Amino acid sequence: MIVLYVFILALVQAITEFIPVSSFGHLCVAEHLLGMSQETGILLEVMFHLGTAGAIFFLFRKDLKRLGIEILGMLMDLIGNLNLYIHNRKTGGELKYARIVQGTYRKFAALLLVSMIPTALLGFVSRRLVAMSTDSLIMPGIGFLLSGILLLVTDMSKAGGEKGPREAAYYSAMWIGICQGLSVFPGISRMGFTICAALFCGYSRKFAVRFSVLMSFPAMIGAFFAEVGQFASAGMTVGMGFAYVLGALLAGLFGCLTIRFMVSLTQRTKLRYFAYYSFLAGIITLALNFV
């Protein structure tokens, strides 16, 4: 029976991760309806997200490889500039420093790095609160409603612009990272919050969605390493461990099949329709909590 439940949850994760509705919130509701316990905290949800991170890596591997190369290049330039600084100080020379950020991909990589700072900090300090918020459906219900409000306000305000990575400012990446950090709570849509923040910062809809998808990859990997210790918890069994790993694999497989369609749907569909869905999901979730 647990394998069937994991199959259902992996499918839910793959469908909801790449549209602006909370996949975490959907998982919490589904687990509640299936009567599944939370003995290992949020490890199961993290494993599903790890699976969809695998789907992102597989389908966006060229972009991620290029971004990784640019990050490594920035690191090498920083080391080189440090050596030049030491040399100039010792000799009184005036050797010119290398420009750290140059080109579209390197600017994109720098924006992602900046966005990850608040995401990592907020994710780390709120770990216990996040685990507690899954004990009932109140937080997921409220989170759905908050996501719906933000999506509707963004749509009605006609937020958005033409900015791409070249025109983007680092402070805007910081704000988007904060929004991603806040979305660790169930019901609060990570993609919804980050896309809305990007649109309010003047990003184009296409770039906002792309940025949201790619910035989720390191966040999901980081969440896995933060929770992997739960495999050694008292409530973990061999059967559960197998089911969790199977869930990650299934989420990755389903993610590979759905990600392109869901990302395309997010790019071309008005945010108000996702808002209406989030309102409905929030009302149903809160009703289930008191039934």
Side-chain angles (χ1 to χ4, degrees):
M1 188 63 72
I2 185 65
V3 173
L4 176 61
Y5 288 174
V6 166
F7 182 91
I8 294 171
L9 293 173
L11 186 59
V12 169
Q13 165 68 18
I15 293 174
T16 58
E17 177 60 37
F18 303 109
I19 54 177
V21 299
S22 173
S23 59
F24 191 5
H26 281 81
L27 289 176
C28 288
V29 174
E31 289 170 22
H32 175 82
L33 294 175
L34 295 174
M36 298 180 70
S37 65
Q38 296 283 344
E39 295 180 9
T40 57
I42 60 171
L43 178 60
L44 179 58
E45 291 85 354
V46 168
M47 291 301 292
F48 286 127
H49 281 82
L50 179 67
T52 45
I56 293 172
F57 179 79
F58 179 74
L59 293 172
F60 292 90
R61 57 189 181 276
K62 291 183 179 179
D63 288 316
L64 291 171
K65 179 182 178 181
R66 179 71 181 274
L67 290 170
I69 292 172
E70 296 298 345
I71 290 173
L72 182 60
M74 285 191 289
L75 178 61
M76 297 303 294
D77 285 344
L78 281 171
I79 295 173
N81 284 348
L82 178 60
N83 289 329
L84 286 176
Y85 173 77
I86 295 173
H87 177 271
N88 288 341
R89 291 281 292 182
K90 287 182 177 180
T91 65
E94 296 182 358
L95 295 177
K96 292 184 178 180
Y97 300 108
R99 186 179 177 183
I100 303 301
V101 179
Q102 51 185 331
T104 302
Y105 261 96
R106 187 166 285 198
K107 179 67 176 293
F108 198 172
L111 292 169
L112 288 173
L113 289 175
V114 171
S115 71
M116 288 311 301
I117 297 172
T119 295
L121 290 175
L122 288 171
F124 180 77
V125 300
S126 61
R127 286 177 60 196
R128 292 186 178 180
L129 286 175
V130 173
M132 292 171 59
S133 68
T134 61
D135 291 339
S136 73
L137 293 181
I138 294 178
M139 182 59 211
I142 294 174
F144 280 127
L145 296 178
L146 290 175
S147 296
I149 291 172
L150 181 59
L151 289 167
L152 187 59
V153 169
T154 304
D155 186 273
M156 294 181 67
S157 66
K158 300 186 184 302
E162 300 298 327
K163 286 184 181 180
R166 286 184 178 274
E167 300 81 18
Y170 294 112
Y171 73 84
S172 66
M174 185 70 73
W175 282 113
I176 297 169
I178 291 173
C179 288
Q180 179 165 256
L182 294 174
S183 69
V184 296
F185 293 97
I188 296 180
S189 170
R190 187 204 63 78
M191 179 168 265
F193 266 51
T194 54
I195 288 176
C196 289
L199 292 176
F200 276 118
C201 289
Y203 288 17
S204 68
R205 178 74 172 270
K206 183 177 180 180
F207 179 67
V209 173
R210 188 177 184 83
F211 189 73
S212 178
V213 171
L214 291 176
M215 73 184 293
S216 70
F217 179 76
M220 292 175 182
I221 300 299
F224 168 73
F225 283 108
E227 297 295 330
V228 68
Q230 292 296 324
F231 273 109
S233 66
M236 178 61 67
T237 64
V238 174
M240 288 175 62
F242 170 79
Y244 285 15
V245 173
L246 176 63
L249 294 174
L250 288 174
L253 175 62
F254 295 150
C256 288
L257 298 175
T258 61
I259 183 172
R260 292 198 182 280
F261 173 76
M262 292 301 174
V263 168
S264 176
L265 181 68
T266 302
Q267 288 179 335
R268 67 174 186 266
T269 304
K270 291 185 177 180
L271 294 178
R272 67 183 63 183
Y273 297 120
F274 297 113
Y276 298 151
Y277 174 84
S278 295
F279 289 141
L280 179 61
I283 293 170
I284 292 174
T285 301
L286 290 174
L288 286 173
N289 184 73
F290 298 105
V291 170

